[in-house]
Amino acid sequence: MSEHITEIVVFTLLFLLVSGMGFVAARWRAPKDMEHLDEWGLGGRSFGGWITWFLVGGDLYTAYTFVAVPALIFGAGAAGFFAVPYTIVIYPLFFLILIRLWSVSHRHGFVTPADFVRSRFDSPTLALLIAITGIVATMPYIALQLIGIEAVLKTMGVTGESVLARHAPIIIAFAILAAYTYQSGLRAPALIAFVKDTLIYIVILVAVIYLPYKLGGWGSIFDAAEAKFNASPNPNDGITLNANNQIQYITLALGSALALFLYPHSITGVLASKNRNVIKRNMSALPAYSFLLGLLALLGYAAIASGVKPLPGAREGTVDSNTVVPLLFDMQFPAWFAGVAFAAIGIGALVPAAIMSIAAANLFTRNIYKEYLRKDASPAQEAKVSKVTSLVVKVGAVACIVFLDPQFSIDLQLIGGIIILQTAPAVALGLFTRWLHRDGLIVGWVVGMSLSMWMLWQIPNAATGKAHFGGSAFPLSEFGFDTSRTIYVGFITVIVNLLVAAVVTLILRALKTPEGVDGTTQDDYFADEGDPRIDKDVAVATDRPSST
């Protein structure tokens, strides 16, 4: 540890700085009363263009992205670049979807996507499924932010022999995170995001200029990567795609794009915006992060040229690929700048972890606690329950890292994207049409989720020795095709989900099964800032004025 003392000092100072900002955030743009989910969980729905840009960008491009994308390219090559096109494709796909969701949520006071589904389809059961799906998909994502911090700490030698000693720094970091999130709500990650994204931009721009200079230029870096993959026993590894992994690449990129803004934390960042134009501008500007991600991905090849050897993994005989980027920085940067880079990764874990825990807590509070446990809960009681739940969520994320194999958590994240995709018919399509029957959507969800679990059960992972749930690439040979190609599980299952929902809808319509009452109107999907027609029932229930 002594040789990393400079890095540890710089990392600690920057970490303490943003922690202080987290506590100060309670007084930043402070409302008269934080005891309301609109204030604690959505920042008063008042964030403008710049704040939203940093908040949503900091929410989507996480510490795990920082370490995992280059690590995947380090290990497999071109297949890892799927993250770049999917984060470009996503913005035009969701441009219209998100402004409609913001408008109807603004009009009716919705805090979660399940709130919208409950009103749109008049189905508490469907809303419950959406809420549970969101919570389950979000939990491993929070745990993965811890893995990003753990990779940095491991690189700096901040580890111990016992389980407690090894994880004590992470436990302390998340205890601090829990404290300022409890106090400041969404304002904390919104304020910290400015520092986090600034540090990441600086580190990556310096890296893509400085590292090629030290390693003989990009030509030498690509030559080293090509030499490594040519010697790889896996024919799918390489600096270009081949016939076997092209379908997987395309479907993974498209499926991931469809899933990203269905995650509750993504929607929370969007609903915190003050008007529709803020969302429109951000959907146009956020691809700048994709440019950053493309540069970041190239660090995987730079690590190959630098001769990085990943540190040992949790299981004997395995390696921790998440340490690739931290080790690259440690080897090539001066100690003080490596400390800055490590802090960027560590702080990059705090922003999304805070937003994710708030989003999961809001889902529990609005769609489980208030719907089934205490229908007459006041706004102050909702806020208190959500605060406590956010603490429980963080404790659960830490427990995943302490008591489970971290590699298992990574696989859970891949499964999380497939799980959240099953909400697309109700949430995304529901914003444009109510043609699908509420019971058809429930049956489609059940079939899609069941098929997802069956397909994931069939996927082994040779690297970790697991026979099941080893990734998201399903072999087409399991469907009887004579090929070694694979396809992204979520792409198949969401299509099946939608087809089943459509067929069941036709059957239920023929049987004249009641469809419930749509609690929204066409005009709701175009409401904007200053709109006076806030839902009166919501205004009464939340003690808010009936106009803005």
Side-chain angles (χ1 to χ4, degrees), residues 317-395:
T318 64
V319 296
D320 185 357
S321 61
N322 293 312
T323 59
V324 166
V325 168
L327 285 170
L328 173 65
F329 292 161
D330 184 54
M331 291 172 59
Q332 299 296 337
F333 285 152
W336 68 270
F337 193 78
V340 172
F342 294 160
I345 297 174
I347 297 168
L350 299 183
V351 172
I355 304 172
M356 290 170 190
S357 64
I358 290 170
N362 288 345
L363 280 168
F364 174 82
T365 301
R366 289 298 290 263
N367 307 115
I368 297 177
Y369 174 77
K370 185 165 185 176
E371 182 73 46
Y372 293 97
L373 302 179
R374 189 164 186 175
K375 289 184 178 293
D376 61 344
S378 68
Q381 289 169 332
E382 284 185 0
K384 184 176 181 179
V385 169
S386 200
K387 288 179 179 181
V388 173
T389 304
S390 75
L391 298 179
V392 174
V393 168
K394 293 184 187 72
V395 171

Side-chain angles (χ1 to χ4, degrees), residues 154-175:
K154 188 184 293 187
T155 302
M156 293 191 296
V158 186
T159 56
E161 295 299 325
S162 68
V163 172
L164 181 60
R166 188 165 64 250
H167 296 292
I170 292 179
I171 295 173
I172 293 171
F174 257 56

